[in-house]
Every structure is written in structure tokens, then in C-alpha cells.
Amino acid sequence: MVVLASVQFNSSIKLKYRDSVHGTVVDHQTVFSEMASLFRVAGLFVVIFVISLLGLVGSHPLCLDFSPPFKPTGGLSFCSEYSTLACCTRDQDDRIAAKYYRSVGAVTNATCAARLKTLLCIECSPLAVHLYDAETTLVKKPFPGLCRAYCADVYRSCPGIVPLVSNSSQLLAAFRNGESDFCNAVRITDVNYCYPDVLTSQEFGPNQTHAYSNTEGCLCLRKFAGSLRNPLLLLSAEDGSGRIFVGEQLGLVNIYYRNGTRRIEFFLDISNVVLDSASPGDERGFLGMAFHPNFRSNQRFYVYYSIGREGAFRNRISEFTTSATNRDTINRTSERVILEMDKPFSNHNGGQLLFGVDGYLYITTGDGGSGGDPFNNAQNLSTLLGKVLRIDVDGRSPGLAYGIPPSNPFVSTPRARPEVFAYGCRNMWRCSVDRGDRQTGYGRGRIFCGDVGQAKWEEVDIIKSGRNYGWNTREGDECYNYMCGRIGPEEYPIFAYNHNVGNCIIGGYVYRGCSSPNFQGLYFFADYGYGKLFRLKELASNAWESKEIFTCGRDVCFNDLTWDFERNILSFGEDETGEIYILTTSYPSTQSFSGSIYQLVDPRRRGDPTSCNSALNTVATSTQASSTTPTTTTTTTSTSTTTPTTTTTRTSTSTTTPTTTTTRTSTTTPTTTTTGPSSSTVDRQQPSWNWSCDFEKRIDGSPDFCDIVQATDDQFDWTIFTGPTPSEPTGPDYAYSLPWYIYIEASNPRLSNDTAKIYLPSPPFPGEYCLSFHYHMFGFHIRELQLFVETTASSPRSTVTIWRSTGQKGNFWLFARVSLSIATNQRIGFIGVRGDEYSGDIGLDAIYLTSNACSV
């Protein structure tokens, strides 16, 4: 971890979660103690009661796709009663209308025609999942749930509309058997939701449903990626490609797409020059990355990383460009060093890079490290440490590899570094630029930073030109040393919290995405030491309301959502559409594959899928990639919707922020987009198809999870291994641990051309395919690995060696891939091992099969 070396992981964190009945927050020790007592008293009845509380879907608005309802853009013209909160888009509304008009001709009674419309439109109700009794079975009934009296009235007065609503043979058989059978068939488990009584319910009626869906509460998480080594960065290039760049502390950057697929090749690998450490909590490494505002045309981006230098510590900021032939990888010879900074200690490195709306590059630097800023760097304008810097990467000033913006506040101050934009910073960890309100643009350009405290206070700042943020005379809102109040005007934080609440802030983002409207304008941040999530809500120009945010329970976060996450929150990220992610780990070391990424999701209300998908389509028109779907795990519970709020009013100077466009000239960008691995490698005449298996996803260890047919021989066995390696070593050469993988175990230490095989599903059509592997090896002596293509009825027809080793031993990871021309009905097989003197095992972590030749 790179935030604060003096902070220690709090191993005594209690898991909290929401009591679905009372809405209170309880810890697990209290719950299990009370459950044990109740069990002794009530036995089986308590078990039944607890199971009922752990139902998959709680009593909250939910659509038939098990997602929250939304406000349809432009309202609904047919099922207009649901125009303000619905489970139907306008297209779905049109389809329901078409079904009604096809059917209504058979209905002669106006009352029955109105009932037909009502019953068809129930699918658009924000309570649809409950009205169709799918809350426990997760399967929609063929007819909405009707209250008994209303059902009897429909059966007696309008029997002809029943087959117009549903053609289910089972339902129609019950209908023909009589009123009693029909009404039993449309009876739902939870009669509180039956129609039309639910419309007047004091608990579930329209007013209550709208109030619930339009207010913030607990949140859920959608797992985006896993098995990462201290993920610190998630950002987009803002180039319309839809790519998401994920950076790991040891100096690696992967390309992901919004559907979770990942490219096999690294976008950037400078791990050979990045100075990092396997020690948990070490703050050095690959810390920052930013894409040039005109990246689409100039392909330039910037990185911030630690390097080794004898007798000192140094951070470097460099410019790279992508490859001229493949924009998904860098030009390895393109590095241009922009700036290097020596510092006296290893900690407090800052590391944020971001471009402001003015087109300049902003850089946060730590105060040099140790504790208390012993060299007074933060208040010293003649050093770059403890500052927010602003430079012009498109210009050149004398003696510098960059330009100095003429409006920088200290360009004319004697002995001050002209790069300084703001000062008095301790160790700002994670800053972000506010995209601005989606309608009004309010807030656009504000830079929010979390500044990690020393011993008592953590703070959130909005960065302004020339301001002094007080360190090391002040920490948070309180004095730190005797110079407090004697350094001239200071900019106070917009919010600060003491170490009774948390001990290591992680700065985040203002939410400006489409998917979770209730999040709009909220600034999300976290605490690393306590594993907490928070938000700030702006009430007025100088007033901010703070609130701790809990994750909901399993009755709300289910399906592809989860409520639990690794409790060391390392960083935040934002994709091109403004969705926010948290980057976490359970063990903050660059040698541990325990890092994960989660998207923040509001389970109460979502954005209109049509509008949000339209926004996505303007970013990326395809997510074809030779990669795997991300993992989704479920572990333990967490939490609540009821937390106290506090309001903090500041007396600092004006917070007016720019809402205009950049003041610098920018190059016109092309309208073409890149949308995945090199589009030139895709066969335009062949339909797209891909298959993947990431063994980390094997929740139960079942080989059927990935639909793989396994083959063994006398010498080898393919085995699902569920857990850490039996005797997991440590050190930089043993970075292979994954929570789930499949591996080959040798039953004979000396072999002669024996093989272990694994077969993949047969592709649906002939053509060019790219087959990729991610595997690791340790403790072995092996001759070669091979890839082969085999029909279902005969021996291998062809063999392609993808990697060969002669007498090699060791512990390492490998990526391998090969382009294959697959004929009809051919299967693809992988020879895991072929050779002699084999000992140890090989772990196969993921396989990817994509319907295009491998990009170069």
C-alpha cells in the first residue's frame, strides 16, 4: 500500500450489516450471540425465521431483470401511470402497446379493455418482481399476482382477457378448471404485493415506493476484476474507445473493457525500472498515470513512479506514446523524462497525475516523508515537495522539459519554484477532477484531493491556485505545531475527520455517471485503515454534509452484485462514462494477487437503460477482446442504511469553479474510434464469438462451471485446486498465488512423452481464432508445453508448440497465445505438459478463445 507507512491494518474490524426488519446496524458478534440464545429457546422456529430473513430478494422495488426501477426518459406514452418510476423503457412500452392493440379487438367491454391494459402494464411496475412472484424463485410467473377479490371479479366479468395476457398452458388449464383453480394459480407468495391492494398499501404503495427509490441509502458493488497486485489506478483515455486502464503498483497496466473482458498483453510494463517492495504498506512504486487531453490524436500519456538511486529516493514523471502499429501497447523506446524529484525518505510520495480543464498537468507530491515534515518542505516554496504542481507538457521553458503556465501563482515570487500551484500539503493520495453536473455543468473543473493526516486528522480539500493548505503547522482543523496561525492566509479543508472515525483517507470522485442517479453530485471517498466508505454532499457553497456509506445486505445485493469487499481500500477510479470504482486488497503487497475492483451501484434506482446504453455506445461500439469475464465472488455480510449525518460549514474564501471550456488551443481530434483489440485483425465476414474461463470464478470448484471436458492419462491428473498453494513461498520470484486455479499433478516423477490434456468447447463456426492462456509453473523440470487441435473423432491432426523449455526450473507466470484456423466440428485441446523428469505442478489460471486472429 502506498498511502501512509505509519498506519497499520486494523485487524479487529467488525463486519456490520443491515437488520432488514428494524433498519439498525448490528455487528456480527451481537447477532451470533443473540441467535445462539434464541436457538436455545425456540429451536427450529428460529432457524425458519432466520432463513426467511435471508431471502434472496427483500421488500424493495425491483424489476423483472432483478435491477432497480428507473425514470424513463420522456415518460411512457402507453403505460403512463409508470412514467415517473418504471421497469419499462419506451421501447418496451411500445411493445406492450402493440400487444394490447393486437388483442383489444376481441374485447367488446370497455371496462375489460381497461383491465387488459392494466394487467399488461403491470410488467412496467417498479414492484414487478414482487407482482410476478419472482422474489424467491427468481422465475417470473406467467400472470401478475392478483388479490382474491379482484381475481374473482376478473374471472367473472372479463374472462376473455386472461388468454390475451398469457398463453401459458398451465395457467390456461387452471383457468378452464374454474375460478378457484385460476385464482390459486395467480396467487403470489407475499400477498402484501397482490394487485390492486398494493396500490393503497401503507408500506409498499406508490408514495412509499417513490420515496424509497429517489433517496440515497446503502449501496451494492459489482465486481469488475480480481487477482490484481495492489491495483492503484483505474482510468480511461477519454478517446471514445471504451477502454479502462488498470494500473498495479509494481508497474503494470492492463486494458479492460466495460463488460469486464481484458486484453492478454499489458498496455504498459515498466516493472523492471519501477522501485517497489513486497513489504505490505510500502508507499513506493507505480503511483500515477494521466492521458493527454488530445490523446486520441497524439497518443501521449504520462506516468509517475519511484526509481532507485543510491543514497536517496527519487520519483520520476515521464511521457510515453503508444505503438504506431498497435495503440493497445506502448512504444517502449518513447519514454521522455519530464521531471525527477529527490526526497529524503521512502514514504509520502504523493503520486497523482491529472489534467485539469485548463489542459495543464497537475501533480501532487508528498512532503518528503518521515513524520511531521522534519525539513519543513510543505511550507517551503523553493522545493517541489509537499505541493500541487502545474506544468505545461506541450511547452518548453528554459532548462526544463516542460513549460511553466504563465498564470501559475508563484512565477514572480523570488526563490519560489514556478511549478508550484498550491502548497502546505502532507501526502495527497488520490485526487480527481469533477466532470460537472450532467445538465448544468456546475462544479466542472474542481479538483478534490484527500490529504492523509499525521496522527489525528484526515481531510478533503478542493485545490485552488496559490492556496496554502496548512501542513505542517495545521493538521485537519487543528494546530499541529507552534507556527499554527502564523503563516498567513490558509485554505481549510471542506471536511475533516479524526482518528476515532478512520486513520488514512483515500480520496475519490464526484459521481457524474448515468447508472445511479441518486449518487449524482456526491463525492465518494474512503478510509484505508478502517475499510470504510463515505460520501460528501454539497449543501451550499461552503457547507458539506458527511455520511458513512454502508453496503446493503444479501437481500438487496444479489445476482451479479455483492455486498462485501476486501477491507483495504487502496484507491478509486472512474471510467469514461463517469461510473466510479473502488480498488481494494486483502493484503497490501505488490506480490499478493489479492486485489480486486468493484463498481459502486445504487440498488434503489438506476438510470434509464436506453439513455445509459446510448451514452455507452457513444464511448465504445464494441467490446470484442481476447480476454475473460471478470470474477464475481460472494463472501460475508456488511450493512446499513441508517447512519448519522454531520454538516460542516467552512469560512474559507470563494469556491467559485469554472464552468467554461479549456482556455488553451487543442488539436482537432478524429471521429474514428478504436473499440477493442486491433479491429484490423477481425474477420468482418465471420460472426464474433468468444469463450473464456477464469478459474478464479470457480466458487464451488466444479469443472462444469466452465464447460470444460477434461482428459487424463496414467501419469497426470487435472485437479481443481481451491485455496492457497500447499506450501506457499514468499519473495519476488514466487508471485503465483491465486485463490482458485486448475493444475496438473504428476503421479510419476519421470515421464516419457506423456501428456495431460484439457479440451475446450467446440466453436460454433469455422474460421480464425485466437487461443490465449494465463498459467504459472513452480518447482519443476519440464521439456515443453504444446497446443494442439483435435477433432472429436480422431487423434490430433496438427500440433503447434507455443512454448518450449529445455531443462528449465523455476517459479514464474506465462502468457501464451496462438492463432488457429479451426475447421467445422473441431475441438481445441491444450497439452499441459509433455516431457520428462517432471516434478511439481503447473497451474492453468485462465483460458480465452476469441473469434479473431491474435493481434500482433
Side-chain angles (χ1 to χ4, degrees), residues 791-804:
T791 63
T792 55
S794 64
S795 59
R797 291 182 175 178
S798 61
T799 302
V800 180
T801 300
I802 58 173
W803 180 82
R804 181 184 296 271

Side-chain angles (χ1 to χ4, degrees), residues 658-695:
T659 57
T660 57
T661 56
T662 177
T663 58
R664 303 174 67 227
T665 303
S666 60
T667 305
T668 302
T669 55
T671 57
T672 56
T673 61
T674 57
T675 57
S678 286
S679 57
S680 61
T681 64
V682 178
D683 183 353
R684 297 295 180 185
Q685 304 305 314
Q686 174 181 298
S688 63
W689 181 82
N690 65 78
W691 175 90
S692 64
C693 179
D694 188 333
F695 293 98

Side-chain angles (χ1 to χ4, degrees), residues 23 30 65 179 203 247 296 368 438 443 452 472 650 680 774 816 855:
T30 302
D65 61 355
E179 177 186 315
E203 187 175 0
R296 184 184 294 189
R438 294 172 66 88
V452 180
N472 62 351
R650 302 294 180 195
S680 61
H774 183 196
S855 57

Side-chain angles (χ1 to χ4, degrees), residues 117-302:
K117 177 179 182 295
T118 294
L119 293 176
L120 290 175
C121 285
I122 285 178
E123 187 173 328
C124 295
S125 166
L127 298 173
V129 79
H130 305 288
L131 285 161
Y132 282 91
D133 209 18
E135 58 190 279
T136 54
T137 64
L138 304 185
V139 177
K140 173 191 174 185
K141 277 193 170 184
F143 205 91
L146 305 183
C147 301
R148 186 71 190 206
Y150 186 76
C151 175
D153 191 35
V154 167
Y155 186 86
R156 296 167 189 171
S157 304
C158 303
I161 69 173
V162 172
L164 301 180
V165 175
S166 173
N167 61 0
S168 165
S169 58
Q170 187 175 1
L171 175 75
L172 295 179
F175 174 74
R176 289 189 292 270
N177 287 339
E179 177 186 315
S180 178
D181 281 9
F182 172 68
C183 289
N184 285 334
V186 299
R187 184 180 186 274
I188 56 177
T189 305
D190 190 344
V191 295
N192 291 311
Y193 285 103
C194 70
Y195 188 88
D197 291 2
V198 69
L199 298 179
T200 57
S201 168
Q202 295 298 309
E203 187 175 0
F204 309 118
N207 291 338
Q208 291 75 16
T209 298
H210 281 70
Y212 175 91
S213 296
N214 289 282
T215 56
E216 63 170 309
C218 55
L219 57 78
C220 295
L221 304 169
R222 178 177 291 115
K223 191 166 185 180
F224 178 74
S227 300
L228 297 166
R229 288 165 287 188
N230 272 12
L232 301 182
L233 302 166
L234 184 149
L235 68 161
S236 71
E238 302 289 333
D239 62 348
S241 68
R243 295 176 297 177
I244 296 174
F245 297 81
V246 173
E248 297 173 273
Q249 188 177 349
L250 69 166
L252 304 174
V253 178
N254 280 293
I255 293 177
Y256 286 80
Y257 299 89
R258 274 191 55 89
N259 67 353
T261 56
R262 183 193 70 202
R263 287 190 60 84
I264 298 302
E265 302 83 1
F266 293 118
F267 172 74
L268 174 72
D269 180 357
I270 55 171
S271 56
N272 61 322
V273 295
V274 170
L275 177 64
D276 70 296
S277 168
S279 299
D282 194 287
E283 302 182 28
R284 296 166 295 178
F286 182 74
L287 307 179
M289 181 174 173
F291 290 91
H292 194 283
N294 296 325
F295 176 76
R296 184 184 294 189
S297 59
N298 64 30
Q299 295 297 295
R300 288 155 48 192
F301 65 97
Y302 301 84

Side-chain angles (χ1 to χ4, degrees), residues 511-533:
Y511 182 83
R512 301 296 187 186
C514 179
S515 298
S516 298
N518 289 332
F519 291 170
Q520 282 298 327
L522 300 180
Y523 175 72
F524 288 92
F525 64 103
D527 188 87
Y528 164 77
Y530 282 28
K532 293 180 178 180
L533 285 166

Side-chain angles (χ1 to χ4, degrees), residues 21 63 93 102 121 223 247 268 340 477 481 492 573 654 700 854:
V21 178
C63 301
D93 183 57
R102 286 195 306 269
C121 285
K223 191 166 185 180
L268 174 72
E340 291 187 346
D477 288 327
N481 67 23
Y492 277 74
S654 172
D700 60 358
C854 300

Side-chain angles (χ1 to χ4, degrees), residues 60-105:
H60 59 282
L62 206 63
C63 301
L64 288 170
D65 61 355
F66 300 99
S67 296
F70 52 91
K71 182 178 181 179
T73 304
L76 302 179
S77 58
F78 184 71
C79 300
S80 56
E81 62 268 40
Y82 301 114
S83 285
T84 57
L85 190 67
C87 284
C88 289
T89 64
R90 297 192 70 176
D91 286 345
Q92 290 171 301
D93 183 57
D94 290 343
R95 286 196 293 272
I96 292 173
K99 181 176 181 179
Y100 170 80
Y101 289 117
R102 286 195 306 269
S103 308
V104 74

